[in-house]
Coordinates of all heavy atoms in Angstrom, one line a residue:
I67 N 1.7 5.4 -9.4 CA 2.7 6.3 -9.6 C 2.8 6.8 -11.2 O 2.8 5.8 -11.9 CB 4.1 5.9 -9.1 CG1 4.0 5.8 -7.6 CG2 5.3 6.8 -9.5 CD1 5.2 4.9 -6.9
K70 N -1.0 9.6 -8.2 CA -1.8 9.4 -7.0 C -2.2 10.7 -6.3 O -3.2 10.8 -5.7 CB -1.0 8.5 -6.0 CG -1.1 7.0 -6.3 CD -0.3 6.2 -5.2 CE -0.7 4.8 -5.3 NZ -0.3 4.0 -4.1
D106 N -5.1 1.7 0.1 CA -3.8 1.2 0.7 C -4.0 1.0 2.2 O -3.4 0.2 2.8 CB -2.7 2.2 0.3 CG -2.1 2.0 -1.0 OD1 -2.3 0.8 -1.7 OD2 -1.5 2.9 -1.6
L129 N 9.6 2.7 9.1 CA 10.9 3.0 8.4 C 10.6 3.7 7.1 O 10.0 3.0 6.3 CB 11.8 1.7 8.3 CG 12.0 0.9 9.6 CD1 12.6 -0.4 9.2 CD2 12.8 1.7 10.6
G130 N 10.9 4.9 6.9 CA 10.7 5.6 5.7 C 9.5 6.6 5.9 O 8.6 6.4 6.7
A131 N 9.6 7.6 5.1 CA 8.6 8.8 5.2 C 8.0 9.2 3.9 O 7.9 10.4 3.6 CB 9.1 9.9 6.0
G132 N 7.9 8.2 3.0 CA 7.4 8.6 1.7 C 5.9 8.4 1.5 O 5.2 8.4 2.5
G133 N 5.4 8.1 0.3 CA 4.0 7.9 0.0 C 3.4 6.7 0.8 O 2.4 7.0 1.4
A134 N 4.0 5.6 0.8 CA 3.4 4.5 1.5 C 3.4 4.6 2.9 O 2.4 4.1 3.6 CB 4.2 3.2 1.1
A135 N 4.4 5.4 3.5 CA 4.4 5.6 4.9 C 3.2 6.4 5.4 O 2.7 6.2 6.5 CB 5.6 6.3 5.4
V153 N 10.8 6.9 10.9 CA 12.3 7.0 10.8 C 12.7 7.5 9.3 O 12.2 6.8 8.4 CB 13.0 5.7 11.0 CG1 14.5 5.8 10.9 CG2 12.7 5.2 12.5
G154 N 13.5 8.5 9.2 CA 13.8 9.0 7.9 C 15.3 9.5 7.9 O 16.0 9.6 9.0
R155 N 15.8 9.9 6.6 CA 17.2 10.2 6.6 C 17.4 11.7 6.4 O 18.5 12.2 6.3 CB 17.9 9.4 5.6 CG 17.2 9.4 4.2 CD 17.9 8.5 3.2 NE 17.2 8.4 1.9 CZ 17.6 7.8 0.9 NH1 18.7 6.9 1.0 NH2 16.8 7.8 -0.3
D156 N 16.2 12.4 6.2 CA 16.4 13.8 5.9 C 15.5 14.5 6.8 O 14.2 14.5 6.9 CB 15.8 14.1 4.4 CG 15.9 15.5 4.0 OD1 15.6 16.4 4.8 OD2 16.2 15.8 2.8
K159 N 12.6 16.7 5.5 CA 11.5 16.0 5.0 C 10.6 15.4 6.2 O 9.5 15.3 6.2 CB 11.9 14.8 4.2 CG 12.3 15.2 2.7 CD 12.6 13.9 1.9 CE 13.1 14.3 0.5 NZ 13.6 13.1 -0.2
W180 N 17.9 7.5 11.4 CA 18.4 6.1 11.5 C 19.3 5.8 12.6 O 19.3 4.6 13.1 CB 18.9 5.7 10.1 CG 17.8 5.6 9.0 CD1 17.4 6.6 8.2 CD2 17.1 4.5 8.6 NE1 16.4 6.2 7.4 CE2 16.2 4.9 7.6 CE3 17.1 3.1 9.1 CZ2 15.3 4.0 7.0 CZ3 16.2 2.2 8.4 CH2 15.3 2.6 7.5
N195 N 8.6 -1.7 7.4 CA 9.5 -1.2 6.4 C 8.7 -0.6 5.3 O 8.0 -1.3 4.6 CB 10.5 -2.2 5.9 CG 11.4 -1.7 4.9 OD1 11.7 -0.5 4.9 ND2 11.7 -2.5 3.8
T196 N 8.7 0.7 5.0 CA 8.1 1.3 3.8 C 9.2 1.9 2.9 O 8.9 2.6 2.0 CB 7.2 2.5 4.3 OG1 7.9 3.6 4.7 CG2 6.2 2.1 5.4
T197 N 10.4 1.5 3.1 CA 11.5 2.0 2.2 C 11.7 0.9 1.2 O 11.2 -0.3 1.4 CB 12.9 2.2 2.9 OG1 13.5 0.9 3.2 CG2 12.7 3.0 4.2
P198 N 12.3 1.2 0.1 CA 12.5 0.1 -1.0 C 13.8 -0.7 -0.7 O 14.2 -1.4 -1.4 CB 12.7 0.9 -2.3 CG 13.0 2.3 -2.0 CD 12.7 2.6 -0.5
V199 N 14.3 -0.6 0.5 CA 15.6 -1.2 0.9 C 15.3 -2.7 1.0 O 14.6 -3.1 1.8 CB 16.3 -0.7 2.3 CG1 17.5 -1.4 2.5 CG2 16.5 0.8 2.0
M201 N 14.4 -4.5 -1.8 CA 13.5 -4.8 -3.0 C 14.4 -5.3 -4.1 O 15.5 -4.8 -4.3 CB 12.7 -3.5 -3.3 CG 11.7 -3.8 -4.4 SD 10.6 -2.5 -4.5 CE 11.6 -1.3 -5.3
E207 N 20.0 -6.4 0.6 CA 20.0 -5.3 1.5 C 19.0 -5.4 2.6 O 17.9 -6.0 2.4 CB 19.8 -3.9 0.8 CG 21.0 -3.7 -0.2 CD 20.9 -2.3 -0.9 OE1 19.8 -1.6 -0.7 OE2 21.8 -1.9 -1.6
D226 N 6.9 -5.9 6.2 CA 7.6 -5.4 5.0 C 6.7 -5.1 3.9 O 6.0 -6.1 3.4 CB 8.7 -6.3 4.6 CG 9.9 -5.6 3.8 OD1 9.6 -4.5 3.3 OD2 10.9 -6.1 3.7
L227 N 6.6 -3.8 3.4 CA 5.7 -3.6 2.3 C 6.2 -4.1 0.9 O 5.4 -4.2 0.0 CB 5.5 -2.0 2.2 CG 4.3 -1.5 2.9 CD1 4.2 -1.9 4.4 CD2 4.2 0.1 2.9
I228 N 7.4 -4.4 0.9 CA 8.0 -5.0 -0.3 C 7.4 -6.4 -0.6 O 7.2 -7.2 0.3 CB 9.6 -5.2 -0.1 CG1 10.1 -3.7 -0.1 CG2 10.1 -5.9 -1.3 CD1 11.6 -3.7 0.3
Y229 N 7.0 -6.7 -1.9 CA 6.6 -8.0 -2.2 C 7.5 -8.8 -3.2 O 7.2 -10.0 -3.4 CB 5.1 -8.0 -2.7 CG 4.8 -6.9 -3.8 CD1 5.0 -7.0 -5.0 CD2 4.3 -5.7 -3.3 CE1 4.8 -6.1 -6.0 CE2 4.0 -4.6 -4.2 CZ 4.3 -4.9 -5.6 OH 4.0 -3.8 -6.5
D249 N 4.2 -10.0 4.9 CA 4.8 -9.5 3.7 C 3.9 -8.6 2.9 O 2.7 -8.5 3.1 CB 5.3 -10.7 2.8 CG 4.1 -11.6 2.3 OD1 3.3 -11.0 1.5 OD2 4.1 -12.7 2.6
G250 N 4.5 -7.8 1.9 CA 3.8 -6.8 1.2 C 2.7 -7.3 0.2 O 1.9 -6.6 -0.1
L251 N 2.8 -8.6 0.0 CA 1.8 -9.2 -0.9 C 0.5 -9.1 -0.2 O -0.7 -8.9 -0.9 CB 2.1 -10.7 -1.2 CG 1.7 -11.2 -2.5 CD1 2.2 -10.5 -3.7 CD2 2.0 -12.7 -2.6
M253 N -0.7 -6.7 1.6 CA -1.3 -5.3 1.5 C -1.6 -5.1 0.0 O -2.8 -4.5 -0.2 CB -0.2 -4.3 1.8 CG -0.5 -2.9 1.6 SD 0.6 -1.8 2.5 CE 0.2 -0.2 1.7
L254 N -0.8 -5.7 -0.9 CA -1.2 -5.6 -2.4 C -2.6 -6.2 -2.6 O -3.5 -5.6 -3.2 CB -0.1 -6.2 -3.2 CG -0.2 -6.0 -4.7 CD1 0.0 -4.6 -5.1 CD2 0.8 -6.9 -5.4
V255 N -2.8 -7.4 -2.1 CA -4.0 -8.1 -2.2 C -5.1 -7.4 -1.5 O -6.2 -7.2 -2.1 CB -3.9 -9.6 -1.7 CG1 -5.3 -10.3 -1.7 CG2 -2.9 -10.4 -2.5
Q257 N -5.4 -4.1 -0.7 CA -5.9 -2.9 -1.4 C -6.7 -3.2 -2.6 O -7.6 -2.5 -2.9 CB -4.7 -1.9 -1.5 CG -3.6 -2.3 -2.4 CD -3.9 -2.2 -3.9 OE1 -4.7 -1.3 -4.3 NE2 -3.3 -3.0 -4.7
Ligands
LIG301 P1 8.6 6.8 -1.8 O1 7.5 7.7 -1.8 O2 9.7 7.0 -2.8 O3 9.2 6.6 -0.4 C1 10.3 5.8 -0.1 C2 10.8 6.2 1.3 O4 11.9 5.3 1.6 C3 11.4 7.7 1.5 O5 11.2 8.1 2.7 C4 12.9 7.5 1.2 O6 13.6 8.5 1.9 C5 13.1 6.1 1.8 N1 14.3 5.5 1.3 C6 14.6 5.2 0.0 N2 15.7 4.6 -0.2 C7 16.3 4.5 1.1 C8 17.5 4.0 1.6 N3 18.4 3.4 0.8 N4 17.7 4.1 3.0 C9 16.8 4.7 3.7 N5 15.6 5.2 3.4 C10 15.3 5.1 1.9 O7 8.0 5.3 -2.2 P2 6.7 4.6 -1.7 O8 5.6 4.9 -2.7 O9 6.4 5.1 -0.4 O10 7.1 3.0 -1.8 C11 8.1 2.5 -0.8 C12 8.0 0.9 -0.8 O11 6.7 0.5 -0.5 C13 8.4 0.4 -2.3 O12 9.2 -0.7 -2.0 C14 7.0 0.0 -2.8 O13 7.1 -1.2 -3.6 C15 6.4 -0.5 -1.4 N6 4.8 -0.4 -1.6 C16 4.1 -1.5 -1.4 C17 2.8 -1.5 -1.4 C18 2.0 -2.8 -1.3 O14 0.8 -2.9 -1.6 N7 2.6 -3.9 -0.7 C19 2.0 -0.4 -1.6 C20 2.9 0.8 -1.8 C21 4.2 0.9 -1.7 P3 14.0 9.9 1.1 O15 12.7 10.7 1.1 O16 15.0 10.4 2.0 O17 14.4 9.5 -0.3

Side-chain angles (χ1 to χ4, degrees):
I67 293 166
K70 283 182 162 193
D106 279 338
L129 308 173
V153 179
R155 52 185 178 179
D156 180 324
K159 281 189 189 173
W180 288 87
N195 177 36
T196 76
T197 77
V199 179
M201 187 167 73
E207 293 184 356
D226 198 342
L227 264 50
I228 293 171
Y229 45 83
D249 64 62
L251 209 61
M253 176 165 168
L254 187 67
V255 171
Q257 62 79 27

